[in-house]
Amino acid sequence: MENITITDFAAEGKALARVDDMVVFVPWAVPGDVCDLQVRRKKHSFMEAEIACLHTPSPLRIKPFCQHFGVCGGCKWQQLPYEEQLKMKQQQVYDQLTRIGKVALPEFRPILGSVKTREYRNKLDFGCANKRWLTSEELKDEQIEKDVPAIGFHITGAFDKILPIEKCWLMDDVQNQIRNEICNYAIRQNISFFDLRQQVGLLRDVIIRNSNTGELMVIIQFHYDEEDDEQKAQELLQHVADTFPQITSLMYLNNQKCNDTIGDQEILTFKGNDHIYETMEELRFKVGPKSFYQTNTEQAYHLYCVAREFAFGSPLTLEGQGEAPLVYDLYTGTGTIANFVAKKARKVIGIEYVPEAIEDAKVNSQENHIDNTLFFAGDMKDILTDDFIAEHGRPDVIITDPPRAGMHPDVVKTILKAAPQRIVYVSCNPATQARDLQELDSDYQVVAVQPVDMFPHTPHVENVVLLNKR
């Protein structure tokens, strides 16, 4: 299709055009581009295509700063100025809440842009593979060696292929140095890289975390096959420790499962501590190898400030005048929000499905000498019963921060039954948030909406909504 004008952005960071009443989704494009499109997939109501020739670049288009842009799927909006990214995200939240939620909405607050737009992440996870991903051009080049191992990111739609990453801009540059040195050392020492299809190979995965206290954690995931694999792993770990003395927590594991998740694995400490610390205001949060912590530390602070403002801002009339409110924090995770708001609450009760996360939440309260929190592990609808509320008190405020899938319908029913005066809904997926707002609309009115950008150069956006009881 020739001389097609890209008109708008769509879901998942793709752009779109309309050709003969057919919607065409195009990755890596910018509204205003005029280009030839090569159709790759055709359905009854839409097509998917890629740019075959860019005739006239959009006035909005800028040069991406990353050499891996267009192949790595992590930062799909690098070709768009950050100010335009924020406009698109604000519009995305508005469209999803209005089209899906279909509830009365106040005027939205302007989106909070990220403090940093590069090196903003505190955690990156790199896969290892015995065969690197090759572009179509590289496959045709007979001079390029094909079966080369790599450490980098999984290619979208090719679970067993890894794009070798030379430089990622999302985290402090030390992660590039560590990852590249591990890869080079393993190749020099003939250490095998993992084959996901065959489930063999020693070097499997590398996780790097840093913190705003200056600490650095590295977790190397191995898969022991041969008798001498453990010795090879120890030698690699020692090389990393010697080369990067700034690492404060060097950890490893032998994962014999089919997948790379580490939540159910024993993680051993090779050097230093088994944790690092993050700070937020006067609080310190202990982060272990399995702990969840928002990956954009500085922006997480602004997100939680919004949640705290919504939870405790006036007017909030309590039965006991002058008494601090009782807060339930649903999907509390490691209790970051619960501990962050505890100072303003009479008590905070955190509920989370993952028992290990609840143990972290308790530790974080102890670390910060917070004595007005209680944490419970289990299914939300099983814990938040009439008997539970009778024992611990009816919540004045519920803060909920569910996963991307949103809240289970039974949880929504439970919230309606608990009948708090206000609900603060923190969401990483405004589409499922909009669906849940519709279910809450019978008893609650949306009174404030605050989008927050946690992930520059991606289409992802967080959104915080305040609901008051009608």
Side-chain angles (χ1 to χ4, degrees):
M1 298 185 294
E2 297 181 342
N3 293 308
I4 304 300
T5 300
I6 305 298
T7 57
D8 206 347
F9 275 112
E12 300 175 354
K14 297 176 182 177
L16 65 83
R18 289 179 171 83
V19 182
D20 297 331
D21 298 324
M22 178 77 77
V23 174
V24 185
F25 295 105
V26 187
W28 318 114
V30 175
D33 284 344
V34 179
C35 47
D36 295 343
L37 299 178
Q38 175 64 57
V39 177
R40 295 302 183 193
R41 186 179 178 214
K42 187 174 182 179
K43 292 291 186 179
H44 177 69
S45 59
F46 71 92
M47 292 185 289
E48 295 178 357
E50 59 186 40
I51 296 177
C53 178
L54 179 59
H55 293 299
T56 306
S58 167
L60 298 177
R61 181 181 280 273
I62 61 173
K63 183 179 180 180
F65 53 81
C66 180
Q67 69 195 72
H68 304 295
F69 176 78
V71 183
C72 170
C75 299
K76 297 179 180 178
W77 280 2
Q78 277 189 31
Q79 77 283 38
L80 196 66
Y82 188 56
E83 297 76 17
E84 295 298 323
Q85 294 179 31
L86 293 178
K87 291 179 185 177
M88 295 296 178
K89 294 186 182 191
Q90 178 95 6
Q91 188 63 42
Q92 177 184 326
V93 173
Y94 178 81
D95 290 345
Q96 290 174 331
L97 262 59
T98 53
R99 295 174 184 175
I100 300 173
K102 298 178 181 177
V103 299
L105 296 167
E107 183 177 351
F108 288 19
R109 295 184 177 189
I111 187 170
L112 292 178
S114 179
V115 177
K116 294 180 179 178
T117 60
R118 301 185 191 184
E119 298 185 359
Y120 61 81
R121 288 185 67 99
N122 58 39
K123 178 185 177 184
L124 286 174
D125 191 336
F126 300 101
C128 307
N130 61 332
K131 293 181 181 179
R132 56 158 290 196
W133 168 261
L134 296 167
T135 65
S136 56
E137 291 77 15
E138 290 172 329
L139 285 171
K140 297 173 186 176
D141 190 341
E142 296 181 358
Q143 302 299 316
I144 293 181
E145 190 177 352
K146 302 301 189 287
D147 296 336
V148 177
I151 301 180
F153 296 131
H154 287 273
I155 289 290
T156 303
F159 74 97
D160 62 332
K161 297 293 193 302
I162 292 291
L163 173 69
I165 298 296
E166 181 179 334
K167 180 178 178 64
C168 177
W169 295 83
L170 294 182
M171 192 174 172
D172 186 286
D173 191 58
V174 69
Q175 51 85 20
N176 291 309
Q177 301 167 31
I178 293 171
R179 181 195 61 253
N180 292 340
E181 182 56 34
I182 290 174
C183 185
N184 293 335
Y185 175 88
I187 291 173
R188 290 197 305 269
Q189 299 299 318
N190 293 315
I191 291 175
S192 59
F193 286 61
F194 196 62
D195 185 325
L196 193 56
R197 290 184 181 273
Q198 300 299 321
Q199 293 286 300
V200 295
L202 179 58
L203 189 55
R204 181 166 186 166
D205 190 82
V206 178
I207 299 173
I208 303 175
R209 305 181 82 148
N210 63 16
S211 72
N212 59 6
T213 59
E215 295 170 283
L216 183 61
M217 174 185 287
V218 177
I219 308 162
I220 303 179
Q221 193 171 151
F222 298 104
H223 182 276
Y224 297 164
D225 297 310
E226 309 293 337
E227 288 185 6
D228 62 345
D229 275 353
E230 185 170 2
Q231 180 182 343
K232 290 180 180 178
Q234 293 290 313
E235 291 172 353
L236 187 154
L237 288 161
Q238 188 61 56
H239 176 74
V240 172
D242 293 341
T243 308
F244 301 98
Q246 66 267 49
I247 295 175
T248 57
S249 174
L250 180 56
M251 310 185 76
Y252 70 101
L253 65 147
N254 171 26
N255 182 3
Q256 295 292 320
K257 299 186 306 171
C258 292
N259 61 59
D260 294 335
T261 58
I262 64 174
D264 57 352
Q265 298 290 290
E266 180 185 12
I267 302 179
L268 304 172
T269 303
F270 182 83
K271 171 203 166 185
N273 303 315
D274 64 355
H275 60 273
I276 57 179
Y277 282 99
E278 292 277 7
T279 61
M280 194 174 290
E281 291 185 346
E282 75 279 5
L283 303 177
R284 282 164 54 88
F285 294 100
K286 185 178 181 181
V287 180
K290 302 179 184 180
S291 299
F292 170 80
Y293 195 85
Q294 287 280 2
T295 51
N296 186 338
T297 301
E298 292 188 57
Q299 196 65 356
Y301 171 66
H302 295 287
L303 179 73
Y304 295 158
C305 282
V306 172
R308 183 172 61 186
E309 176 203 343
F310 282 4
F312 301 101
S314 59
L316 178 59
T317 305
L318 302 178
E319 292 181 7
Q321 292 296 324
E323 188 177 29
L326 173 62
V327 178
Y328 282 15
D329 181 27
L330 310 187
Y331 308 93
T332 191
T334 56
T336 313
I337 291 180
N339 285 300
F340 186 71
V341 305
K343 184 186 291 187
K344 288 181 172 288
R346 180 166 79 254
K347 182 183 290 185
V348 183
I349 296 175
I351 304 173
E352 166 64 43
Y353 186 77
V354 181
E356 293 84 359
I358 286 298
E359 292 308 309
D360 284 343
K362 293 177 180 177
V363 168
N364 282 324
S365 285
Q366 294 167 2
E367 289 271 346
N368 291 286
H369 308 291
I370 296 171
D371 58 7
N372 64 332
T373 57
L374 286 175
F375 295 101
F376 299 88
D379 194 303
M380 208 75 59
K381 64 181 185 300
D382 296 333
I383 290 181
L384 203 56
T385 61
D386 289 340
D387 290 341
F388 183 91
I389 292 173
E391 179 180 355
H392 297 284
R394 186 169 298 280
D396 302 301
V397 178
I398 283 182
I399 301 174
T400 180
D401 186 5
R404 290 192 62 80
M407 295 191 292
H408 189 280
D410 289 341
V411 176
V412 176
K413 292 177 183 176
T414 303
I415 290 175
L416 290 171
K417 198 172 183 180
Q421 292 186 45
R422 63 175 52 172
I423 300 168
V424 180
Y425 191 150
V426 182
S427 173
C428 60
N429 186 353
T432 54
Q433 183 186 48
R435 177 204 66 203
D436 294 341
L437 294 180
Q438 191 174 54
E439 296 301 313
L440 294 165
D441 188 56
S442 59
D443 292 9
Y444 289 88
Q445 177 185 6
V446 177
V447 295
V449 179
Q450 176 65 76
V452 180
D453 183 27
M454 300 286 286
F455 304 105
H457 314 302
T458 79
H460 301 297
V461 60
E462 298 261 343
N463 191 48
V464 189
V465 169
L466 171 62
L467 303 101
N468 281 349
K469 201 168 190 321
R470 292 187 185 278

